[in-house]
Amino acid sequence: MSNQNEIEKAPGKQEYNITVYTENQIGLLNRIAIIFTRRKINIHSLNTSPSEIESIHRFNIVVNETEEIVKKLSRQIEKQVEVLKVYFNTNDEVIWQELALYKVPTDIIAEKASVERLLRENGARAVVIRKDYTVFETTGHREETDALIKILQPFGLIEFVRSARVAIIKHSEGFNRKLREFEKAEPGEETSENEFLNNGQKIFTM
């Protein structure tokens, strides 16, 4: 455990959010995971979801590493055929949230706590109320969802689960716009990827 803590606190390391735009292909997630495994890098959170672009999926991967390592990871991921674009950002550069659910005994919490005050002070809401248990839901940063765990422990917290992180880049103009511009671009000399392409007749004439 002490070795793990030393790794997490190593100089230059911080949390990075790696955003991957990709086609939805079978086996891609496994290949991306292998990139991290080979470098012995732990993935703290992984979320996959549809993106703002039809048929394009978006991965959000959270790691605790140096900027240099994250750059190398991003370049390696971008080499995958199905991957369209990869961004990486610090926590300060994204807006992010996690969802958490808490299950507690209904009779105990009703008897020992002001449920309305509990919900209001912690930004939570009751999503299921049954005779034997009540489920609360809250969203926020890790510190906020962890805080509610401590509050509910004295009331016999039965179960807790937290989702992977979802994040939006603050200052990005969006991959959607860039993709649309690329689709609308007319072929011509300025967009030619091969400097010899427009001289094909000269080059291949014997």
Side-chain angles (χ1 to χ4, degrees):
M1 181 63 71
S2 59
N3 291 337
Q4 180 65 26
N5 291 335
E6 290 173 4
I7 292 172
E8 296 295 334
K9 296 178 181 178
K13 286 191 176 185
Q14 62 176 312
E15 277 195 342
Y16 279 93
N17 299 265
I18 301 175
T19 304
V20 184
Y21 283 93
T22 174
E23 299 173 8
N24 187 23
Q25 295 290 334
I26 296 174
L28 177 61
L29 180 58
N30 184 52
R31 279 184 276 125
I32 289 178
I34 288 173
I35 293 173
F36 290 85
T37 303
R38 285 175 177 170
R39 293 180 177 271
K40 297 182 179 179
I41 295 174
N42 185 40
I43 295 176
H44 289 245
S45 175
L46 170 61
N47 172 269
T48 65
S49 72
S51 74
E52 65 278 9
I53 307 167
E54 186 178 356
S55 77
I56 300 299
H57 272 57
R58 175 175 177 151
F59 293 5
N60 189 75
I61 305 168
V62 180
V63 296
N64 191 296
E65 269 301 337
T66 64
E67 182 177 3
E68 181 182 359
I69 293 296
V70 173
K71 282 182 179 179
K72 291 179 180 178
L73 286 170
S74 299
R75 286 197 293 265
Q76 195 69 30
I77 294 171
E78 218 166 39
K79 289 180 181 179
Q80 301 297 314
V81 174
E82 301 90 344
V83 173
L84 304 174
K85 186 62 181 175
V86 178
Y87 299 96
F88 65 89
N89 301 92
T90 64
N91 284 346
D92 291 336
E93 296 170 336
V94 298
I95 299 168
W96 63 275
Q97 295 279 283
E98 295 173 342
L99 180 145
L101 297 176
Y102 314 77
K103 183 163 71 174
V104 293
T106 298
D107 55 349
I108 296 177
I109 197 166
E111 178 183 345
K112 297 185 177 181
S114 171
V115 177
E116 184 179 350
R117 177 177 57 80
L118 187 68
L119 298 179
R120 184 175 63 252
E121 291 179 352
N122 293 277
R125 70 185 185 95
V127 292
V128 173
I129 301 176
R130 294 179 28 152
K131 289 183 178 180
D132 49 344
Y133 65 80
T134 296
V135 176
F136 294 122
E137 173 194 278
T138 187
T139 58
H141 288 184
R142 182 67 53 89
E143 297 80 10
E144 297 167 326
T145 54
D146 279 349
L148 191 52
I149 295 176
K150 296 177 182 178
I151 293 172
L152 293 176
Q153 285 288 9
F155 304 109
L157 181 62
I158 301 171
E159 193 173 347
F160 165 76
V161 64
R162 177 166 41 217
S163 73
R165 178 180 301 183
V166 292
I168 288 180
I169 304 170
K170 286 182 180 178
H171 302 298
S172 170
E173 294 182 350
F175 181 63
N176 188 7
R177 184 185 66 80
K178 293 179 181 179
L179 182 63
R180 299 298 175 229
E181 286 180 355
F182 177 78
E183 290 176 343
K184 292 178 182 178
E186 294 293 335
E189 293 184 6
E190 293 183 357
T191 59
S192 175
E193 294 184 6
N194 189 326
E195 59 181 309
F196 302 111
L197 186 60
N198 295 321
N199 297 317
Q201 292 281 31
K202 298 178 183 179
I203 294 171
F204 294 107
T205 298
M206 301 299 292

